[in-house]
Amino acid sequence: METLKHECGVAMIRLLKPLEYYHRKYGSWMYALNRLYLLMEKQHNRGQEGAGLACVKSEAAPGEEYMFRERAVGTGAITEIFDSVYGRYRDVPPEQLNDPSYARTNLPFAGELYIGHLRYSTTGKSGMSYIHPFLRRSNWRARNLAICGNFNMTNVDAILHDLTSTGQHPRHYADTYFILEQLGHRLDREAERLFLKYEAEGLKNRDITRAIEENMDMENVIEKAASTWDGGYVICGATGSGESFTIRDPWGIRTAFYYADDEIVVLASERPVIQTVMNVGTGDIRELQRGEALLISRTGKIRTSQILKPEPLSACSFERIYFSRGSDINIYRERKKLGENLVGPILRKINCDIAHTVFSFIPNTAEVACYGMLEGLQKYLDELKAKQIAEKGASITGEELRKILSQRIRSEKVALKDIKLRTFIAGGNSRNDLAAHVYDITYGSIAPYEDNLVVIDDSIVRGTTLKQSIVSILDRLHPKKIVFVSSSPQVRYPDYYGIDMSSMNEFIAFKAAIELLRERKQEDVIIDTYYRAKKQQMLADAPGINHVKDIYAPFTDEDISKKMAKLLGGPAIRAKIELVYQTIDGLHAACPGHPGDWYFSGDYPTPGGTRMVNQAFINYMEEVYFKQDDK
């Protein structure tokens, strides 16, 4: 019910022919720049806190810029950065602006290689200094580096140690900065290796530089740096000499897709974005595999390389449930299946009373899951009608037949998202009062005091939006019962690979489990879990055990759901509140290609994730639990 933030979106374009070719065929040498704008705009959902792009041009005289960057902060960042880029051409005479040869040698951002980034902070840090691409500058083109990525690293301290062990002294503590410096250091070492090699062969000055640019071993550069990374990532990079790369984490947590023909290479975080922008079919697009890198040389040679050994597949299931665009055919089907899976438990919650139940969804991302739920309900009702007709047999009257056939699934658009609340307007109780007006309802859509109301959403994570606005406003319709349905399982654990879910105390499922332990006089479970987690964190070689699972172990999923329902209700709510959650088995059945479920199961794919969830519980105990007891 809450808007989850997701970091981030990437886009990359590499032209494989001269700018003149695109000017002749597509009417403009800006073909790649225009396509980059579309790729980024189509992924706007992945980054509403900032955006940036970088461009590398292959032809520039010494003393002239060949690596360009533009960045902006805010929800309008995409428009702002492209307005700035295109604005540089406003005073260029038309005959020069329409001359690709002139543009290539004289105009900024008139290059062959582009990378773009959309930022959606999951760390609470914002501002221009956090907007990708990041640049590392040098007077040697091959040593210039621009990177952007969709990633969160869970072993930042280990990466820092790798840097400092080489004698470096980083000026900032941030994973993006560390990765830039790691890759930059390896790039320097590779350039130095080639310099010594070609100097020994008798080359001098510019000939050495040219040989270095033409023979950089980017696989070695990336492998040396990436071997130290723990986390989910897709990282794109470009050097000043025109080499480009994209690497995906070996667990496949984050996604990347690419399309290549003899004109262009295009990469993005989502497949349908490429389909739409390039007007190509699903089968024309490849997914970058676990631990695989897409490498494009400065001469345009395309290859993939298995940089890191693939680990067990842990592709993020929230990509399918919530984040990625539902226009992807597979995601669309999966979301419908998630909704259909829940028909059985929904019917049990309403005692199969379809005649007195209205089905709906919370706008907007749960709409597709609602379609699947309604189709599943219709199948149930069709089977029920057939059974009722068969029971009557040949003696059935026309009136009885009409009555049976008139049964229908009642679906209404009950909830509407009215405004995008600007929460900085007010704080405290005033803020909560404003939150209650984010959603509106369709009055008269249910029969008061007679109908149940079933509403589906893609997730119920914190419960704050649900409690502050949705429950109370739906209660104004006076349903007998409100059944909130989540197409995803109970979110019990933080995410450390790119979603803003990192604090244990945020999760309504965790709050419910803690309350149940207190009610049942099992506080010893909480304390014991704290000490086990604390002990493990002190041992560098301790086995990676997620001790937070012990908090949930005494309870069934239904126990947790019932307690959450009580937490969401209150004396002012007249309708009975019940919850239905997807099972983890149901999730995997619907989304078989994306088994990453650590936020539901607690089974983190990397050691860093397990270490961080234990630390999150320790932080909760020391910052919240013990302080409550002191009071």
Side-chain angles (χ1 to χ4, degrees):
M1 302 293 176
E2 299 82 21
T3 299
L4 296 178
K5 296 179 181 179
H6 177 261
E7 185 175 349
C8 295
V10 296
M12 184 179 74
I13 293 179
R14 175 62 158 88
L15 297 178
L16 303 178
K17 296 182 182 294
L19 293 187
E20 286 85 354
Y21 173 88
Y22 306 94
H23 192 78
R24 288 194 304 270
K25 184 170 181 179
Y26 299 106
S28 173
W29 60 262
M30 299 182 205
Y31 176 73
L33 193 59
N34 296 339
R35 288 296 178 273
L36 184 70
Y37 168 73
L38 293 174
L39 287 172
M40 293 178 69
E41 196 62 71
K42 293 291 183 181
Q43 295 183 103
H44 200 167
N45 58 299
R46 303 184 76 92
Q48 298 181 24
E49 294 187 359
L53 68 89
C55 168
V56 177
K57 64 162 58 187
S58 61
E59 295 186 25
E64 295 181 354
E65 184 59 84
Y66 51 86
M67 184 174 262
F68 304 86
R69 179 178 66 171
E70 191 69 47
R71 298 181 296 171
V73 177
T75 57
I78 299 174
T79 300
E80 185 176 337
I81 62 175
F82 280 93
D83 278 350
S84 177
V85 171
Y86 291 128
R88 301 186 188 204
Y89 308 144
R90 290 193 183 104
D91 297 329
V92 179
E95 63 275 11
Q96 293 179 335
L97 185 60
N98 291 314
D99 181 353
S101 178
Y102 177 86
R104 184 175 61 251
T105 55
N106 294 282
L107 297 184
F109 294 94
E112 297 80 18
L113 172 56
Y114 296 87
I115 59 174
H117 186 258
L118 302 113
R119 175 175 169 79
Y120 217 155
S121 172
T122 63
T123 62
K125 298 177 181 178
S126 58
M128 187 66 78
S129 61
Y130 294 99
I131 304 297
H132 302 192
F134 277 32
L135 295 185
R136 189 176 190 265
R137 292 294 201 174
S138 171
N139 273 348
W140 281 266
R141 289 196 305 181
R143 296 191 184 195
N144 278 268
L145 179 64
I147 69 163
C148 65
N150 173 12
F151 63 88
N152 269 17
M153 297 300 176
T154 62
N155 65 329
V156 178
D157 288 339
I159 298 173
L160 174 61
H161 179 266
D162 179 71
L163 284 170
T164 56
S165 67
T166 65
Q168 297 186 64
H169 192 104
R171 294 177 292 112
H172 305 286
Y173 187 88
D175 56 1
T176 306
Y177 178 75
F178 291 167
I179 289 168
L180 177 71
E181 291 303 325
Q182 268 190 315
L183 288 166
H185 172 66
R186 296 299 174 184
L187 201 62
D188 287 344
R189 294 291 297 272
E190 174 64 10
E192 290 162 5
R193 180 186 71 82
L194 292 174
F195 179 89
L196 295 174
K197 176 180 183 293
Y198 294 124
E199 185 181 48
E201 293 177 4
L203 297 183
K204 294 181 180 180
N205 302 327
R206 290 185 181 180
D207 290 336
I208 292 181
T209 298
R210 189 176 301 109
I212 289 172
E213 291 182 352
E214 293 173 354
N215 293 280
M216 293 290 286
D217 184 355
M218 293 305 297
E219 295 178 43
N220 182 55
V221 169
I222 300 165
E223 190 277 329
K224 289 286 179 59
S227 62
T228 67
W229 299 343
D230 181 303
Y233 54 85
V234 168
I235 296 175
C236 299
T239 71
S241 57
E243 297 274 351
S244 62
F245 64 87
T246 303
I247 182 168
R248 185 183 184 189
D249 68 80
W251 300 273
I253 295 171
R254 300 270 69 91
T255 58
F257 299 86
Y258 67 95
Y259 166 78
D261 59 25
D262 62 347
E263 295 181 354
I264 195 169
V265 183
V266 177
L267 180 138
S269 294
E270 300 183 26
R271 180 172 60 186
V273 171
I274 302 176
Q275 287 182 250
T276 300
V277 172
M278 301 306 298
N279 190 26
V280 294
T282 302
D284 298 320
I285 299 170
R286 285 192 58 192
E287 182 174 4
L288 201 61
Q289 298 302 302
R290 289 168 284 157
E292 187 177 53
L294 174 67
L295 302 143
I296 309 171
S297 71
R298 68 186 304 272
T299 59
K301 182 180 178 182
I302 307 163
R303 66 194 188 280
T304 58
S305 176
Q306 193 66 53
I307 299 289
L308 299 171
K309 178 184 176 182
E311 299 289 345
L313 179 63
S314 298
C316 173
S317 57
F318 249 121
E319 284 279 354
R320 318 300 280 185
I321 299 166
Y322 182 80
F323 293 120
S324 294
R325 293 167 66 90
S327 55
D328 182 286
I329 183 59
N330 291 337
I331 294 175
Y332 186 81
R333 290 170 179 166
E334 289 169 14
R335 290 179 181 175
K336 287 184 70 176
K337 184 63 177 176
L338 288 168
E340 185 179 357
N341 285 349
L342 297 165
V343 168
I346 290 170
L347 289 171
R348 289 191 288 274
K349 290 292 184 184
I350 62 171
N351 297 317
C352 296
D353 188 5
I354 286 180
H356 297 97
T357 303
V358 171
F359 300 91
S360 192
F361 64 94
I362 303 298
N364 290 312
T365 54
E367 186 173 5
V368 177
C370 183
Y371 293 152
M373 176 185 71
L374 294 175
E375 287 183 8
L377 289 165
Q378 188 61 53
K379 290 177 185 177
Y380 164 80
L381 186 56
D382 290 344
E383 292 173 0
L384 180 63
K385 290 178 181 179
K387 182 179 178 181
Q388 290 171 343
I389 293 170
E391 288 174 348
K392 292 289 184 179
S395 63
I396 190 170
T397 66
E399 181 60 30
E400 289 173 332
L401 182 60
R402 280 190 294 273
K403 184 176 180 181
I404 291 172
L405 294 178
S406 69
Q407 296 175 95
R408 62 184 180 87
I409 302 300
R410 298 169 59 197
S411 174
E412 303 287 351
K413 190 167 185 179
V414 172
L416 303 89
K417 196 150 190 185
D418 198 19
I419 61 171
K420 175 65 175 176
L421 179 67
R422 299 286 183 178
T423 52
F424 59 77
I425 293 175
N429 292 332
S430 297
R431 175 172 169 173
N432 290 341
D433 180 62
L434 286 171
H437 297 280
V438 172
Y439 291 90
D440 205 346
I441 51 174
T442 304
Y443 291 95
S445 55
I446 72 170
Y449 310 108
E450 294 181 11
D451 286 337
N452 302 307
L453 178 58
V454 174
V455 286
I456 189 170
D457 201 7
D458 39 48
S459 61
I460 302 172
V461 182
R462 303 177 183 94
T464 48
T465 304
L466 196 60
K467 187 176 180 67
Q468 291 173 5
S469 60
I470 298 172
V471 173
S472 59
I473 201 164
L474 292 179
D475 193 53
R476 296 177 191 177
L477 295 172
H478 306 299
K480 288 191 303 182
K481 178 189 292 188
I482 304 175
V483 180
F484 289 104
V485 181
S486 171
S487 67
S488 66
Q490 294 174 1
V491 178
R492 297 182 171 191
Y493 305 94
D495 178 77
Y496 299 107
Y497 306 117
I499 305 172
D500 66 335
M501 301 188 298
S502 59
S503 172
M504 292 300 309
N505 201 40
E506 291 183 342
F507 305 122
I508 188 170
F510 180 75
K511 292 178 181 178
I514 293 292
E515 288 296 314
L516 286 171
L517 288 169
R518 283 173 162 162
E519 289 174 5
R520 300 184 185 188
K521 309 300 181 184
Q522 292 180 281
E523 290 95 336
D524 59 311
V525 173
I526 304 173
I527 302 300
D528 290 347
T529 300
Y530 167 72
Y531 284 113
R532 283 194 296 273
K534 193 84 170 177
K535 181 179 179 180
Q536 179 170 291
Q537 296 296 82
M538 295 171 65
L539 302 174
D541 58 349
I545 299 172
N546 179 358
H547 292 289
V548 186
K549 289 184 177 184
D550 295 341
I551 297 297
Y552 298 99
F555 313 113
T556 65
D557 291 355
E558 186 63 17
D559 290 335
I560 302 291
S561 291
K562 286 181 179 179
K563 186 61 182 177
M564 281 192 280
K566 289 183 179 180
L567 293 175
L568 291 171
I573 305 300
R574 297 183 181 183
K576 183 179 180 180
I577 306 297
E578 296 204 45
L579 298 179
V580 169
Y581 274 95
Q582 186 78 236
T583 65
I584 293 179
D585 287 343
L587 169 69
H588 292 321
C591 308
H594 287 69
D597 63 3
W598 51 92
Y599 12 71
F600 311 125
S601 68
D603 297 329
Y604 289 85
T606 78
T610 303
R611 185 179 64 253
M612 293 184 76
V613 71
N614 286 313
Q615 188 60 52
F617 182 72
I618 292 169
N619 294 344
Y620 161 76
M621 293 295 291
E622 295 176 352
E623 297 171 8
V624 179
Y625 187 86
F626 290 137
K627 290 183 179 180
Q628 288 176 342
D629 286 352
D630 290 343
K631 293 179 182 179

